[in-house]
Amino acid sequence: MEAAIFRGPGDVRIETTPDPEIEASTDAVVRITHTAICGSDLWFYRGERDLSEGSPIGHEPMGVVEAVGDDVRHVEPGDRVLAPFSISCGECEFCRKGLYTSCARDLSWGEDGGGAQGEKVRAPYADGTLVRVPDRYANDEDALEALLPLTDVMGTGHHAAVSAGVGAGDTAVVVGDGAVGLCGVLAAQRLGAERIVAMGHHEDRLDIAESFGATEVVSARGEDAIEEARELTAGGANHVLECVGAESSMETAAAVARPGGTIGYVGVPLGVESTGFLGTMFGKNVSLQGGVAPVRAYIDELMADVLQGTLDPSPIFTKTVGLDGVPEGYRAMDEREAVKVMVKLD
Amino acid sequence: MEAAIFRGPGDVRIETTPDPEIEASTDAVVRITHTAICGSDLWFYRGERDLSEGSPIGHEPMGVVEAVGDDVRHVEPGDRVLAPFSISCGECEFCRKGLYTSCARDLSWGEDGGGAQGEKVRAPYADGTLVRVPDRYANDEDALEALLPLTDVMGTGHHAAVSAGVGAGDTAVVVGDGAVGLCGVLAAQRLGAERIVAMGHHEDRLDIAESFGATEVVSARGEDAIEEARELTAGGANHVLECVGAESSMETAAAVARPGGTIGYVGVPLGVESTGFLGTMFGKNVSLQGGVAPVRAYIDELMADVLQGTLDPSPIFTKTVGLDGVPEGYRAMDEREAVKVMVKLD
């Protein structure tokens, strides 16, 4: 089969690799029909995170089950399925608690299950990892494209909103206008927030934020942005979604949080070196909740809304490519030409 | 009057200063009968925090009201009172929410109200700041000594336990064996924790922890301590009290927290420079809650337990001095000869 392979920073290629096969009785093999490129894929693309040369890549799979191992019960060949960016057994202490990202099996796409940016992928622990799309929607292209973000960014934005404690009538500030931040706006709106202040630096993305429910946008930078957000919220918001993971975004989140408020953070804190945010939080009893999003826990409720037509995160896909276009997709995301790239296979 | 004055790192003196007077109609003047030296007083004593030379010091006042301004309604001359380490108006948004440390008036003992380590202190916003001891206990020396820690460390340990979400039947780990950590053990036990693992480096303090309800103690250091605590809790505790504020204690707290767990942190994070704890927390969705403790919010319920005889944090006072002995008290705490020093005035 053909699959995207990492050959070094800035170098992603489509190569011929062996077809995946059932290795364990709990495996499934999925023929990929839709997948995506993630902001976190840019870490290795930019050389900010080590990845072995030759690694298969991609962690947002959607497709059709092609084969299953003897012990797989929940899916069968022909089912349309999607899976979160983390593999989960569905049976351990943490999966039972809904904390699927802490699954005791500790497996990852790419390293353990193959990459989702390819024609096929092996899905370990298929019963825990794969989620079936109801047959009625299995070939509804609009529904499938709206469901695809549930594999990662929509669940992650939702985790930020839930972790920040957003509820009906609340005022929320969303820090970051990437795909996760935009999904955070959508999630906050879905959870009933009355005012949503979206903070970012790109007019086109803030336009999407407004279409997703942001009532105000702040496009200034640094101290000016903080001042503007604090003014809009009369001194800070009780609910802040940190959707970047950079040092400046953590500091902004802490600064725009109201005393006693909560930051829901879902941006992997790769670039946070100063602990300034901690002192700010400490002095005003601001809580920090969240972490790597256990999106599997949210797929059922989010899918229900997508299928009933009240949730559609697909506008975050501002560019669509075929498998051959994956290298171009990385380039476009790296250069911020695209918010998020969808990959559609035949 | 006589009062303790800061003259520079390592230099605290008893000097003659003007008697405080009623300056605003909401002030009271309190004659101090009991006060204490706090671990946080050691910051300026050790030169780790700037304080103007000549500053009055101390922030744990207990005494008898001597005079009140015209607008004071809740206390009158002759009342035995105590006050938290933070001054609070009792009327603003944050005081109404119980977040007294974020009082909009933003006043502090020492700078604004005089120091508690002296014969008398002016208490701004007396109605919000002072808490009356019921007349029946106003001259009960045992009760007064058990109530004194409610001005700071007992409320702070309680804030750690509450922020960590400790409840009946829980397993909690308490990081730190200073006065706050010991009070954290007591608070966790009071909240119904079934197992309390106390982590510290001093045998004598860990003995107090055991008398306060710790079911296990860990006295190892660094990685060994983390391994031991994780073994005792089968991989980490859902509730961790961080009662130090150092880089190593934050890292320990993050390491011994179970995925999905919560750290209640109350140690001012003055010495935290590395963000290693953040990555550890992020990967396993550990929440960080707490901050500077709004102890005023807890005094009523804690006082009820002290007065009914079921709560007694006074064993943290391992040394008692008179006002003249305050400089010696600082020395003893700085050299870790005393856990916490009580100051009794005639």
Side-chain angles (χ1 to χ4, degrees):
Chain A
M1 68 163 187
E2 304 285 291
I5 300 292
F6 175 71
R7 286 290 163 201
D11 189 1
V12 165
R13 302 182 199 172
I14 304 302
E15 300 184 2
T16 302
T17 64
D19 275 23
E21 292 179 0
I22 301 294
E23 293 176 20
S25 62
T26 48
D27 285 350
V29 169
V30 177
R31 178 173 57 81
I32 300 293
T33 58
H34 302 70
T35 186
I37 304 173
C38 185
S40 65
D41 289 329
L42 297 179
W43 299 336
F44 57 75
Y45 188 77
R46 291 173 174 164
E48 294 165 359
R49 187 182 200 173
D50 288 338
L51 182 67
S52 303
E53 194 257 318
S55 295
I57 48 184
H59 54 250
E60 295 157 293
M62 173 184 276
V64 175
V65 175
E66 207 172 67
V68 297
D70 288 344
D71 291 325
V72 173
R73 303 180 181 200
H74 297 172
V75 295
E76 54 186 41
D79 285 347
R80 177 81 65 167
V81 294
L82 54 82
F85 68 85
S86 69
I87 291 169
S88 51
C89 74
E91 296 198 326
C92 70
E93 169 192 349
F94 299 109
C95 286
R96 282 177 202 276
K97 278 184 181 169
L99 196 56
Y100 295 93
T101 43
S102 291
C103 173
R105 300 291 178 175
D106 196 21
L107 302 180
S108 305
W109 297 110
E111 288 166 54
D112 304 295
Q117 292 160 4
E119 288 183 297
K120 295 180 186 179
V121 73
R122 184 174 68 86
Y125 297 101
D127 281 343
T129 301
L130 299 179
V131 181
R132 233 163 61 81
V133 176
D135 289 342
R136 183 177 159 193
Y137 302 92
N139 295 297
D140 178 336
E141 185 58 28
D142 288 343
L144 294 175
E145 293 184 10
L147 288 171
L148 184 58
L150 274 52
T151 59
D152 189 330
V153 288
M154 184 63 220
T156 300
H158 181 68
H159 189 53
V162 169
S163 298
V166 175
D170 285 340
T171 294
V173 172
V174 180
V175 181
D177 59 4
V180 172
L182 297 176
C183 287
V185 169
L186 203 49
Q189 190 246 27
R190 178 178 170 278
L191 290 167
E194 193 173 301
R195 289 184 67 203
I196 302 170
V197 179
M199 302 182 73
H201 304 318
H202 307 86
E203 291 302 332
D204 54 332
R205 297 176 181 209
L206 291 173
D207 287 346
I208 299 177
E210 287 187 312
S211 76
F212 278 4
T215 52
E216 282 116 329
V217 299
V218 172
S219 59
R221 287 177 183 267
E223 283 303 319
D224 290 345
I226 289 169
E227 201 177 310
E228 197 177 331
R230 286 172 57 96
E231 243 169 58
L232 284 170
T233 55
N238 284 311
H239 311 280
V240 179
L241 287 67
E242 198 292 312
C243 299
V244 183
E247 187 170 298
S248 61
S249 59
M250 284 295 283
E251 281 171 2
T252 298
V256 303
R258 199 173 197 80
T262 304
I263 298 170
Y265 80 131
V266 295
V268 184
L270 274 183
V272 184
E273 288 182 5
S274 149
T275 53
F277 72 93
L278 189 65
T280 304
M281 283 175 41
F282 186 88
K284 51 186 185 179
N285 274 271
V286 168
S287 296
L288 186 66
Q289 308 219 41
V292 56
V295 303
R296 177 68 186 82
Y298 302 129
I299 288 184
D300 284 342
E301 62 174 303
L302 296 176
M303 184 183 286
D305 279 18
V306 170
L307 298 183
Q308 78 180 2
T310 56
L311 177 66
D312 181 8
S314 66
I316 56 168
F317 295 119
T318 58
K319 183 181 178 81
T320 300
V321 297
L323 185 58
D324 286 349
V326 166
E328 157 63 11
Y330 273 82
R331 190 206 56 77
M333 280 182 63
D334 182 38
E335 294 178 13
R336 296 185 194 273
E337 283 174 25
V339 178
K340 189 171 175 73
V341 171
M342 177 160 56
V343 184
K344 285 176 72 170
L345 290 83
D346 299 326
Chain B
M1 68 164 188
E2 304 286 289
I5 300 291
F6 175 71
R7 285 290 164 203
D11 188 2
V12 165
R13 303 182 198 169
I14 303 302
E15 300 184 2
T16 302
T17 65
D19 275 22
E21 292 179 359
I22 301 294
E23 294 176 18
S25 63
T26 47
D27 285 350
V29 169
V30 176
R31 178 174 56 82
I32 300 293
T33 58
H34 303 71
T35 186
I37 303 173
C38 186
S40 65
D41 288 329
L42 296 179
W43 299 335
F44 57 76
Y45 188 78
R46 291 173 174 163
E48 294 165 358
R49 188 183 199 173
D50 287 337
L51 182 67
S52 305
E53 195 257 317
S55 295
I57 49 184
H59 54 250
E60 296 158 291
M62 173 185 276
V64 176
V65 176
E66 207 172 67
V68 297
D70 288 343
D71 291 326
V72 173
R73 304 180 181 201
H74 297 172
V75 295
E76 54 186 41
D79 285 346
R80 177 82 65 167
V81 294
L82 53 83
F85 67 84
S86 68
I87 291 169
S88 51
C89 74
E91 296 198 326
C92 70
E93 170 192 348
F94 299 109
C95 286
R96 282 177 202 275
K97 278 183 180 168
L99 195 58
Y100 295 93
T101 43
S102 291
C103 173
R105 301 290 179 175
D106 196 23
L107 301 181
S108 305
W109 297 111
E111 288 166 55
D112 305 294
Q117 292 160 5
E119 288 183 298
K120 295 181 185 179
V121 73
R122 183 175 68 86
Y125 297 101
D127 281 343
T129 300
L130 299 178
V131 181
R132 233 164 60 82
V133 177
D135 289 342
R136 183 178 160 192
Y137 302 92
N139 296 297
D140 177 337
E141 185 59 28
D142 288 343
L144 295 176
E145 293 184 10
L147 287 172
L148 183 59
L150 274 51
T151 59
D152 190 330
V153 289
M154 184 64 219
T156 299
H158 181 68
H159 190 52
V162 169
S163 298
V166 176
D170 285 339
T171 294
V173 173
V174 180
V175 181
D177 59 4
V180 172
L182 297 176
C183 288
V185 170
L186 202 50
Q189 189 245 28
R190 179 178 170 276
L191 290 167
E194 193 173 301
R195 290 184 66 204
I196 302 170
V197 179
M199 302 182 73
H201 304 319
H202 307 86
E203 292 302 333
D204 54 332
R205 297 176 181 208
L206 291 173
D207 287 347
I208 300 178
E210 287 187 312
S211 77
F212 277 4
T215 53
E216 282 117 328
V217 299
V218 172
S219 59
R221 286 177 183 268
E223 283 303 317
D224 289 346
I226 289 169
E227 200 176 311
E228 197 177 332
R230 286 172 57 95
E231 243 169 57
L232 284 170
T233 54
N238 284 311
H239 312 281
V240 179
L241 287 66
E242 199 291 313
C243 299
V244 182
E247 186 170 298
S248 61
S249 59
M250 283 295 283
E251 281 170 4
T252 297
V256 304
R258 199 172 197 80
T262 304
I263 298 169
Y265 80 131
V266 296
V268 184
L270 273 185
V272 184
E273 288 182 4
S274 150
T275 53
F277 73 92
L278 189 66
T280 304
M281 282 175 41
F282 186 89
K284 51 186 185 179
N285 274 271
V286 167
S287 297
L288 186 65
Q289 308 217 43
V292 56
V295 303
R296 178 66 186 81
Y298 303 128
I299 288 183
D300 285 341
E301 62 175 303
L302 296 176
M303 184 184 284
D305 279 18
V306 170
L307 298 184
Q308 77 179 3
T310 57
L311 176 66
D312 181 8
S314 66
I316 57 169
F317 295 119
T318 58
K319 182 180 178 83
T320 300
V321 297
L323 184 58
D324 286 349
V326 166
E328 156 65 10
Y330 274 82
R331 190 206 56 77
M333 280 183 63
D334 181 40
E335 294 178 12
R336 295 185 194 275
E337 282 174 25
V339 178
K340 189 172 175 72
V341 171
M342 177 159 57
V343 183
K344 285 177 73 171
L345 291 84
D346 298 328

